[in-house]
Amino acid sequence: METLIPSDAPLAEEATLDFLTVTDLKQHAHCPRFTFFEHLWPAVRPRTYKMDAGDDAHERERERARRRSLREYGLPDGERRFAVRVESAALRLRGEIDELVIAPGGVYLPVDYKLSKAVSESFRVQITAYAMLVEVQFGATVTTGYIYLIARRSLVPVDITAERRGAILRMLAAMRTMIRAESMPPPVRARAKCRDCEFRRFCNDV
């Protein structure tokens, strides 16, 4: 299929397959073509206003979170860590969690901030992946993660189930297969996702 990608754009090296990021997973759940462009044509992605606004909002939210108690998590006390880097060599996956709540008794709660008014399935994919990485890095069992909707000041719990864990493993395998094959996946059925996508001009079928 013909695309509008520059003919001189460099293809990804095999080393790219060593690790994927949790953000890659979230974007793939939103639209698999993100994986194609990010890993096979990384030079074409523009920096957008939404990216910068999101970064600024995350930093402001971290400062507010430092001043809040843990009562919203149903915890009497505990520790909050911010911008926590986690990774797993077995999964070949890494990421950075906005907030990690650690409470006595081995309770670990990953929290991801979103500049959004609703929780999408891609957000649930992301927090599940963070939970799996926390388990590996801290030797813990994580049963719940949280998505904090900045616009609504709302904390939404996400159950970390066996089904969600399995979906993460299947998604990682599918992403690596696609990257190795250098094959652009079909467009998403929900074309409303394409409206504000920074990659839209490189797709000639949406």
Side-chain angles (χ1 to χ4, degrees):
M1 179 178 64
E2 184 182 1
T3 68
L4 300 179
I5 300 170
S7 61
D8 59 346
L11 286 174
E13 297 294 335
E14 184 68 20
T16 304
L17 296 174
D18 288 347
F19 270 85
L20 294 170
T21 71
V22 176
T23 299
D24 289 334
L25 273 168
K26 184 258 294 184
Q27 292 175 334
H28 189 86
H30 182 75
C31 174
R33 284 189 175 180
F34 271 91
T35 306
F36 179 88
F37 289 119
E38 287 278 18
H39 287 270
L40 295 171
W41 306 100
V44 303
R45 186 176 193 183
R47 185 73 186 179
T48 67
Y49 168 78
K50 284 187 176 181
M51 293 178 190
D52 293 331
D55 290 346
D56 292 342
H58 278 58
E59 186 55 41
R60 289 193 301 270
E61 194 53 48
R62 287 186 187 124
E63 292 305 313
R64 283 192 287 263
R66 295 178 199 278
R67 300 190 294 269
R68 292 198 297 263
S69 74
L70 295 175
R71 285 179 295 181
E72 58 190 336
Y73 299 103
L75 300 172
D77 55 34
E79 174 189 359
R80 302 179 104 125
R81 299 182 187 178
F82 299 92
V84 179
R85 294 183 178 182
V86 285
E87 70 174 49
S88 166
L91 294 174
R92 287 182 290 160
L93 183 67
R94 59 167 60 101
E96 183 175 287
I97 308 171
D98 288 323
E99 179 182 344
L100 181 62
V101 176
I102 305 174
V107 176
Y108 286 77
L109 303 174
V111 186
D112 197 46
Y113 304 154
K114 293 299 179 186
L115 194 60
S116 176
K117 294 182 179 180
V119 174
S120 68
E121 183 56 31
S122 63
F123 295 170
R124 295 186 180 95
V125 165
Q126 189 172 20
I127 200 66
T128 300
Y130 282 138
M132 294 169 69
L133 291 178
V134 167
E135 290 182 327
V136 171
Q137 190 150 315
F138 295 91
T141 298
V142 180
T143 59
T144 306
Y146 288 89
I147 298 169
Y148 187 79
L149 301 176
I150 297 173
R152 293 191 170 183
R153 298 283 185 266
S154 176
L155 194 66
V156 181
V158 176
D159 293 334
I160 309 302
T161 64
E163 289 76 13
R164 292 194 181 281
R165 296 169 190 270
I168 294 294
L169 298 179
R170 291 191 295 273
M171 194 176 298
L172 288 171
M175 292 166 71
R176 292 188 171 102
T177 296
M178 189 207 70
I179 293 170
R180 289 190 178 96
E182 299 181 3
S183 174
M184 181 184 284
V188 292
R189 293 183 179 180
R191 296 300 175 87
K193 294 181 178 182
C194 305
R195 187 177 301 119
D196 298 321
C197 178
E198 60 267 34
F199 289 128
R200 182 176 182 177
R201 68 183 186 274
F202 298 114
C203 298
N204 64 352
D205 54 358
V206 297

